Amino acid sequence: MFSGKSSRIANPVAWAVLIGLLTGWMHPVRADVVSVAVAANFSTPMKVIVAEFARDTGHQAEPSFGATGKLHTQIVHGAPFEMLLAADDVTCGKLVQAGLAMEQTRRTYAVGRLVLWSSRPGFVDDRGEILKSGDFRHLALAAPRLAPYGAAAIETLTALGLVDKLQSRFVQGENIAQAYQFITSGNAELGFVALSQVMVDGGIREGSAWIVPEASHRPLRQEAVILKRGENRPAALAFLDYLTGPRAQTVLQAFGYRLETR
Amino acid sequence: MLDSADLAAIGLTLQLATLTTAILLVIGTPVAWWLARTRSLWKGVVSALVAMPIVLPPTVLGFYLLVALGPNGPLGVITHSLGLGILPFTFAGLVLASTIYSLPFVVQPLQNAFEAIAEQTLEAAGTLRASPWDTFFSVALPMARPGYLTACVLGFAHTIGEFGVVLMIGGNIPGQTRVVSVQIYDHVEAMEFGHAHLLSAGMLIFAFFVLLLLYTLNPTGRRS
């Protein structure tokens, strides 16, 4: 059919049409798709919620995971996300101020809990006394300058008056996922991570833990917002409602998040 | 301007690169010599092992080192019983990781240099009653000098540029494991772009001049 020069021109066009047809066919017209930037600490519950969201509403949410700060930088530089689920309660506000997100869609979707955790059973007592006895070489935490859970860990240690004493034993992960890695590989005996990382079906999955009282640090509120690019996306609004609705909140609780009391 | 934390990171990075390069020259010389001269069937296997860090993402190396060097890992058990302690989160751990990571950048230039020495030259030294050691130090080593320059520069520069492995096993401890690349990453993540620019521009200029030095002193294709 195509010969000589014309095939060189016609082929890319044919491919574009074919790809367009295929992708159009894969996503039924009626259902909408929203691309969501999601804080890495929320990746496990997000996957569950996305599946239930698709089943219940027919819409698709396509998550991309990353550290909140990195996602923020990407969005500022034009990343094609339509919604953000941040791990803190300041990033969404910054995007609103920059004119990149819509204030009226800003919601707290989860409140995280900090936990002092060790992969060894019986190592961490349920009041965190081990921090005072100091019977360990390394204490893992997320970088306090970059990660809300890292900042919460420092606030907790400050409240206990232990920052100066323990500072030399800190090993910092870039985020809590890395702090978790340091502990689970045994390189750090214990550390501060998110309850959602070590909780399964309402219980600590392995090892030993002290669930840090919330009074010892600022609440770990996680906010979501719809970005300017997602303004006219029905799926974006639908997902925001779903996320703060009863079905998703049940999932969140099982993963160790507290609900926002209104 | 650069603050004390930035300067500490720069000092630490230079120490790490110097020590790593020195160790690599000691380890790399016999390995490269053997690879250049051997007819063993194992040559392929050893070459592949040496070259692997070029192909592998640093995160793979970092992840396996973290697990293997940890208290439950096979290497961690050995270092612990030798009284060296557990290496992740220490400067010694970074030296070990960098040595593995930069190995091909030192071994391969040395191997090329050794291979370029004709067998007859070495045999001639032998007929003049030079011992194999003497032949190596008086004949092979001087002839391989351009290879050594390339190996030093690449080994040093590549260690300076290391990031993924350090991130995985470093723990970001000031003065111990917080090297320049990690410091830059921290600045960018914290949106302190001014600091990040200073250090990044420094790295850029460093990389250019190091390579310029290499290509000026060691022009390719002109060696007889």
Side-chain angles (χ1 to χ4, degrees), chain A residues 67 69-70 72-73 77 94 120 137-138 143 145-146 168 170-174 178 181-182 184-188, chain B residues 63 66-67 69-72 86 88-89 167-173 178 185-193:
Chain A
K70 202 174 294 156
H72 172 259
T73 309
H77 290 97
K94 277 194 224 164
R120 301 184 199 170
R137 287 183 59 231
H138 294 299
R145 248 163 28 114
L146 310 179
S168 60
F170 288 176
V171 286
Q172 294 180 22
E174 184 228 328
Q178 216 193 351
Q181 238 174 56
F182 287 161
T184 198
S185 65
N187 284 296
Chain B
F63 172 60
L66 182 69
V67 173
L69 291 171
N72 311 320
I86 298 301
F89 316 136
L167 195 70
M168 297 287 270
I169 67 159
N172 201 356
I173 301 167
R178 187 182 288 167
Y185 184 76
D186 266 18
H187 282 318
V188 173
E189 288 289 289
M191 284 175 255
E192 297 161 354
F193 293 140

Side-chain angles (χ1 to χ4, degrees), chain A residues 116 120 123-125 127-139 157 160-170 189-190:
Chain A
L116 179 70
R120 301 184 199 170
F123 191 73
V124 175
D125 55 285
R127 296 216 312 276
E129 295 291 331
I130 176 117
L131 288 173
K132 285 171 197 153
S133 73
D135 192 16
F136 51 86
R137 287 183 59 231
H138 294 299
L139 175 68
L157 290 172
L160 293 168
L162 290 170
V163 174
D164 289 340
K165 187 182 160 206
L166 297 178
Q167 194 138 37
S168 60
R169 305 187 202 178
F170 288 176
E189 293 93 332
L190 75 173

Side-chain angles (χ1 to χ4, degrees), chain A residues 99-110:
Chain A
L100 293 165
M102 299 187 306
E103 172 66 30
Q104 71 275 20
T105 63
R106 221 172 126 187
R107 310 269 165 81
T108 298
Y109 64 92

Side-chain angles (χ1 to χ4, degrees), chain A residues 27-40:
Chain A
H27 296 296
V29 182
R30 157 190 87 73
D32 193 26
V33 185
V34 56
S35 76
V36 192
V38 185

Side-chain angles (χ1 to χ4, degrees), chain B residues 18 43 62 71 84 97 105 172 175 178 186 205 213 216-217 223:
Chain B
T18 308
K43 181 178 173 173
L84 297 170
F105 293 84
N172 201 356
R178 187 182 288 167
D186 266 18
I205 293 165
L213 181 81
T216 314
L217 293 180
R223 238 176 50 213

Side-chain angles (χ1 to χ4, degrees), chain A:
Chain A
M1 257 176 75
F2 303 118
S3 65
K5 272 190 173 169
S6 70
S7 69
R8 287 195 183 160
I9 302 157
N11 267 335
V13 176
W15 276 112
V17 171
L18 186 65
I19 289 166
L21 281 174
L22 279 174
T23 48
W25 167 71
M26 279 155 65
H27 296 296
V29 182
R30 157 190 87 73
D32 193 26
V33 185
V34 56
S35 76
V36 192
V38 185
N41 80 37
F42 200 65
S43 59
T44 320
M46 184 67 185
K47 284 170 191 158
V48 177
I49 292 169
V50 162
E52 296 196 350
F53 176 64
R55 209 181 47 220
D56 290 355
T57 66
H59 292 309
Q60 302 282 335
E62 287 178 345
S64 305
F65 301 104
T68 302
K70 202 174 294 156
L71 294 171
H72 172 259
T73 309
Q74 288 174 349
I75 290 164
V76 169
H77 290 97
F81 299 121
E82 293 160 326
M83 194 171 170
L84 170 69
L85 271 56
D88 60 25
D89 55 0
V90 292
T91 302
C92 290
K94 277 194 224 164
L95 289 170
V96 168
Q97 275 187 351
L100 293 165
M102 299 187 306
E103 172 66 30
Q104 71 275 20
T105 63
R106 221 172 126 187
R107 310 269 165 81
T108 298
Y109 64 92
V111 183
R113 292 297 307 271
L114 185 69
V115 64
L116 179 70
W117 180 69
S118 170
S119 58
R120 301 184 199 170
F123 191 73
V124 175
D125 55 285
D126 58 6
R127 296 216 312 276
E129 295 291 331
I130 176 117
L131 288 173
K132 285 171 197 153
S133 73
D135 192 16
F136 51 86
R137 287 183 59 231
H138 294 299
L139 175 68
L141 62 153
R145 248 163 28 114
L146 310 179
Y149 284 89
I154 294 294
E155 285 166 27
T156 303
L157 290 172
T158 307
L160 293 168
L162 290 170
V163 174
D164 289 340
K165 187 182 160 206
L166 297 178
Q167 194 138 37
S168 60
R169 305 187 202 178
F170 288 176
V171 286
Q172 294 180 22
E174 184 228 328
N175 51 43
I176 44 161
Q178 216 193 351
Y180 176 80
Q181 238 174 56
F182 287 161
I183 305 166
T184 198
S185 65
N187 284 296
E189 293 93 332
L190 75 173
F192 286 101
V193 294
L195 182 57
S196 58
Q197 290 173 293
V198 297
M199 192 156 171
V200 158
D201 296 329
I204 301 293
R205 189 177 33 181
E206 57 168 337
S208 50
W210 170 49
I211 301 177
V212 178
E214 285 194 275
S216 37
H217 59 82
R218 275 183 353 109
L220 290 158
R221 273 201 199 93
Q222 306 201 177
E223 279 187 352
V225 76
I226 295 179
L227 303 170
K228 267 275 151 24
R229 282 171 183 266
E231 205 171 352
N232 299 314
R233 280 262 181 243
L237 211 55
F239 190 72
L240 189 66
D241 283 342
Y242 195 85
L243 188 63
T244 46
R247 294 291 298 265
Q249 295 289 320
T250 312
V251 175
L252 290 188
Q253 269 180 311
F255 278 103
Y257 289 93
R258 182 170 69 72
L259 311 186
E260 175 79 323
T261 43
R262 283 164 227 255

